[in-house]
Amino acid sequence: MRFFSVEEANRLVPLLTDIFGRVRPWVDRVQKLAEVLEAPDAIPDPEAIRPQREEREALLERIRGELGPLQEMGLEIKGADGLVDFHAKRGESPVYLCWRYGEDSVTHWHELQTGFSGRRPIDSPDDFEPTYLS
């Protein structure tokens, strides 16, 4: 498993900003389509909602295509609207460096089990060192 330093994570922020800038409108559209397709009073005729289903599937495939390479780099996508965790080590403890869309840099971290609600500011970037060569 790859562990990121704050510097390494910050080098990826422009890429993340670009990718999530493209993906976020697709995510919004998928959510709107899901509301229509999953409504209790949805049209019982499957053919009537086929265009919406096909559009949703095509958008989901585009989203997976954009986010897949990030996952292959070792990032954890926590939200397709732009929430990303980077594996890191703080001392001997594995933690996450945390970034969300709109932030200019990685400025927070959290314990593995606390999630976004447990985010804490990064006091010293030197507290987080990579343990796998980039």
Side-chain angles (χ1 to χ4, degrees):
M1 174 184 315
R2 178 178 181 178
F3 292 92
F4 290 83
S5 68
V6 175
E7 178 185 337
E8 288 174 322
N10 278 326
R11 277 189 254 150
L12 293 173
V13 168
L15 174 67
L16 294 172
T17 299
D18 182 54
I19 289 173
F20 284 105
R22 281 193 306 276
V23 167
R24 287 169 60 90
W26 303 339
V27 171
D28 289 342
R29 180 65 182 151
V30 166
Q31 290 171 339
K32 287 181 177 128
L33 288 167
E35 289 171 11
V36 170
L37 294 170
E38 296 167 8
D41 59 341
I43 301 169
D45 177 12
E47 287 302 310
I49 57 173
R50 183 166 49 158
Q52 290 91 347
R53 279 195 331 267
E54 290 174 353
E55 181 184 0
R56 181 183 65 183
E57 292 306 313
L59 286 169
L60 287 171
E61 189 59 33
R62 287 172 76 184
I63 292 167
R64 283 190 287 271
E66 290 283 339
L67 300 184
L70 298 176
Q71 292 172 312
E72 290 172 11
M73 291 169 41
L75 283 63
E76 286 196 23
I77 309 303
K78 299 296 185 166
D81 59 344
L83 185 57
V84 177
D85 282 344
F86 302 81
H87 289 277
K89 281 245 180 164
R90 187 170 187 265
E92 294 299 314
S93 301
V95 297
Y96 286 124
L97 298 173
C98 184
W99 176 85
R100 73 175 164 182
Y101 183 78
E103 294 176 342
D104 294 330
S105 61
V106 176
T107 57
H108 289 79
W109 69 278
H110 61 82
E111 303 284 344
L112 298 181
Q113 65 278 6
T114 62
F116 185 82
S117 64
R119 282 182 18 140
R120 299 179 198 166
I122 295 172
D123 294 324
S124 173
D126 294 334
D127 290 343
F128 305 89
E129 291 297 322
T131 59
Y132 181 78
L133 294 177
S134 302

